[in-house]
Amino acid sequence: MAWIRLPRFRRAVNVFNPKLFENLSLAAFLAWVGLGSDALSSSAYGPPEIYDALQGHEYLAVFLAIGIPLSVFVISAGYKQVIALFPDGGGGYHTASTLLGPIAGLVSGAALVVDYILTAAISVASGTEALLSTMPSSWYSERIPLDAAVLLFLIFINLRGMKESIKILLPIFMAFVFTHVILLGWGLLAHMGDVPAIARNTVVGVQHDSMRYGWIFIVALILRAFSLGGGTYTGLEAVANGVHIMREPRVQTGQRTMTLLATSLSLIAGSLIFLYLMYHVHGQQGQTLNAVLYGAITQGWTLDGVYFGPAAALLTLISEGLLLFIAANTGIITAPIVMANMAVDRWLPERFSYLSDRFVSRNGVLLIGFSAIAILLATGGHVSILVVLYSINVFITFTLTMAGLSRHWFAQRHQESNWRGRFAVSVLGFMVTASILAITIFEKFDAGGWFTLLVTAVVVGLGYLIYRHYKSIGKITAELDETMLDVVPDHLESGPNLPLDPRGATAVFFVSRFDGLGLHTLLTAHRMVSGFVKNYVFLLAGLGGQGEI
């Protein structure tokens, strides 16, 4: 019987235990904790960008506080379909590759890689700002060295093979949820009496601006703010990417997790936008908009004569900052997985699919981590710039995913009796995501949008050239395949009923596919150690290709 010794816990684990995966897999609640950090942490920079975009027309925040949750549920409904269609995970890259074709998969994968670089950059920048909001304003000028130091630390721990675990993440995640539920809930309840006045002001504001500027102006302003807050939606794809680690039945668990994530994100983001309006908050030097809001909500909080408002606001900001750092680490971890899948499909060099001796994708971690540092230095760590770059790439993947779903359900209209409802959801999702993408590019093209599009286009171009290079090499290796397949000794031919000696010496070959090169390696090893090695095992790591172009 095979056992794995875990030095940290000093106990053996039977790898053939049929209940092992059930013990390691995640239920919906734990999956929400493990995969929800990126989405919930986006409330630190998404809603503030939405509110700042209104600029003197803050009364429109009422419409956005309602519209943002609705759009979150529309997008999450589309990704529930992705979970049902691809229960083994894969997210936007696999969805676009399968439903739209390899080129669409390349574009989606390139957008995801750039997106995860920006995830690391914006999460660290926003987390640093949240923590510095608890310090004297003079510290704010030191945020760039702190950003770089945090990213270097995250690179180091990931190269050492350390990844966030549920045990580490759970207290930080629950502290974030707990503090935000209390603060935001208290803020809403304390000002419920202001709701009629806010409603009247909204009606008056709409009437005034419609007569002065016209309805087109109001709609354009809402859409602009809506699109610039695109960072709010980040992390929704994480559940579709991580379905493979969830408890059976995976589809139901994944969809429950998506519901938890969409509900919590909608409540927090929608409440923040509405509370900005309720408390008339404005940005202050050295403080984030959320920090100003938390201070306003907790002002006057006392318990038995003890004034603890600042402590409550401080705890909320610390939990927000730490969750943002975990979200940055998620980007550094997840991007190499996408890159490995693309490398298996020959869009990236194969070295990105290899693991180091600590079972981490060292090449991917280094590339993503140092690219995030370069982005931070180039943008000066300004969240307002990073969120624009971030939103564009997020919605490239969202739009391609919804387009693929729409095409799939339309093609299945003769086979699926309930295709109309699913088709309607995916088309609505496509309209929402494509609209936000188009408006963001139009509004912020000169403010940095061109840069993220250029970088993504460069990654797509390089991926295509790399693919063509491997394809040309494939023609050469095909001749070796044909030659080697003719010279395999009969006693090395594999078969389903060949007995294995579990106690005999075993040689393991890590391969990307079964071809002539692998057979040449096998024959060479057999000649050298045939008297000692009794078993030969080929291990294939990664996902299969998505087809030729």
Side-chain angles (χ1 to χ4, degrees), residues 386-398:
L386 288 168
V387 74
V388 173
L389 307 181
Y390 191 24
S391 301
I392 290 176
N393 276 64
V394 167
F395 279 92
I396 288 176
T397 300
F398 281 171

Side-chain angles (χ1 to χ4, degrees), residues 228-246:
L228 294 182
T232 307
Y233 307 90
T234 59
L236 290 177
E237 187 182 278
V239 178
N241 279 326
V243 181
H244 61 286
I245 64 173
M246 296 185 189

Side-chain angles (χ1 to χ4, degrees), residues 507-519:
V508 179
F509 300 90
F510 290 90
V511 297
S512 60
R513 61 191 181 280
F514 188 77
D515 56 11
L517 185 60
L519 288 173

Side-chain angles (χ1 to χ4, degrees), residues 170-194:
L170 182 59
I172 297 174
F173 187 89
M174 295 312 299
F176 176 90
V177 173
F178 182 73
T179 55
H180 281 71
V181 167
I182 291 179
L183 256 71
L184 302 184
W186 179 275
L188 291 171
L189 291 174
H191 283 70
M192 285 300 293
D194 297 339

Side-chain angles (χ1 to χ4, degrees), residues 414-462:
H414 300 302
Q415 287 77 30
E416 294 283 345
S417 58
N418 55 349
W419 70 274
R420 289 183 178 85
R422 297 172 180 176
F423 178 72
V425 169
S426 57
V427 169
L428 180 60
F430 173 77
M431 293 172 62
V432 170
T433 55
S435 299
I436 295 176
L437 175 62
I439 295 170
T440 306
I441 293 174
F442 177 78
E443 287 286 343
K444 291 297 183 179
F445 185 81
D446 294 334
W450 65 270
F451 179 74
T452 188
L453 291 173
L454 176 62
V455 172
T456 304
V458 169
V459 175
V460 171
L462 289 175

Side-chain angles (χ1 to χ4, degrees), residues 273-358:
I273 295 172
F274 198 66
L275 285 167
Y276 296 151
L277 180 62
M278 275 186 164
Y279 284 82
H280 307 286
V281 297
H282 298 283
Q284 298 180 12
Q285 180 64 32
Q287 286 193 309
T288 64
L289 200 64
N290 283 1
V292 177
L293 175 64
Y294 301 154
I297 292 175
T298 58
Q299 187 176 8
W301 279 19
T302 58
L303 181 64
D304 292 332
V306 179
Y307 182 48
F308 70 97
L314 175 65
L315 179 61
T316 304
L317 286 170
I318 290 175
S319 67
E320 184 175 276
L322 292 178
L323 193 68
L324 282 160
F325 291 157
I326 291 175
N329 195 49
T330 301
I332 296 176
I333 291 172
T334 310
I337 298 175
V338 177
M339 296 171 70
N341 291 336
M342 295 178 69
V344 170
D345 290 337
R346 304 297 186 86
W347 297 119
L348 291 177
E350 288 186 343
R351 69 183 62 185
F352 285 105
S353 65
Y354 302 152
L355 299 179
S356 69
D357 56 356
R358 292 184 178 272

